[in-house]
Amino acid sequence: MANSFRPSEGSLLDRLLAKTKRHPDVFDCGVRVRAGELPGESRRWRRKDSTVDPLPGDDGTVTLFHGAANALRLRVAPGSLTDAGHRPDEYAFDAVEQTSGATVRISVSGAELHRFGIHAE
């Protein structure tokens, strides 16, 4: 009975389950446009599975891949970190999208802040 929840390694079921397993670099992220226009985003919160390019740009920008097809080049606004209040341990901060110039609000778990170069006190 113990093996009923663990398929044997390399089996068809094991491979199918591995495809549905979430990648460790993927996290839940909310984005909301505060000022300006940004293709693929709106003034309402949009939560998607996202990733961040681990290498920041030479100019300090962070590339957020919000969903499958939307890459945002962000420069985090210093001193804008606040407790988001939407979910436990969630924080929000402002950033300027470098391509469009739009100001956006980003909401992530406190455990994901380091991906944006932010260290919560």
Side-chain angles (χ1 to χ4, degrees), residues 22-59:
R22 190 174 182 160
H23 192 277
D25 291 336
V26 174
F27 59 95
D28 183 52
C29 179
V31 174
R32 179 174 71 94
V33 177
R34 295 187 84 181
E37 296 291 325
L38 186 58
E41 302 299 336
S42 73
R43 296 199 184 278
R44 298 181 67 152
W45 282 108
R46 291 195 181 190
R47 300 197 73 84
K48 296 180 183 176
D49 284 345
S50 303
T51 60
V52 169
D53 187 340
L55 300 174
D58 293 336
D59 55 355

Side-chain angles (χ1 to χ4, degrees), residues 8-90:
S8 61
E9 189 173 335
S11 70
L12 176 62
L13 182 56
D14 183 51
R15 290 190 309 252
L16 288 172
L17 290 173
K19 287 182 182 181
T20 62
K21 193 174 186 179
R22 190 174 182 160
H23 192 277
D25 291 336
V26 174
F27 59 95
D28 183 52
C29 179
V31 174
R32 179 174 71 94
V33 177
R34 295 187 84 181
E37 296 291 325
L38 186 58
E41 302 299 336
S42 73
R43 296 199 184 278
R44 298 181 67 152
W45 282 108
R46 291 195 181 190
R47 300 197 73 84
K48 296 180 183 176
D49 284 345
S50 303
T51 60
V52 169
D53 187 340
L55 300 174
D58 293 336
D59 55 355
T61 59
V62 175
T63 303
L64 169 68
F65 298 97
H66 192 237
N70 205 1
L72 309 175
R73 292 185 56 245
L74 304 173
R75 181 168 295 148
V76 176
S80 66
L81 182 66
T82 61
D83 181 6
H86 299 117
R87 298 176 180 180
D89 187 44
E90 187 161 88

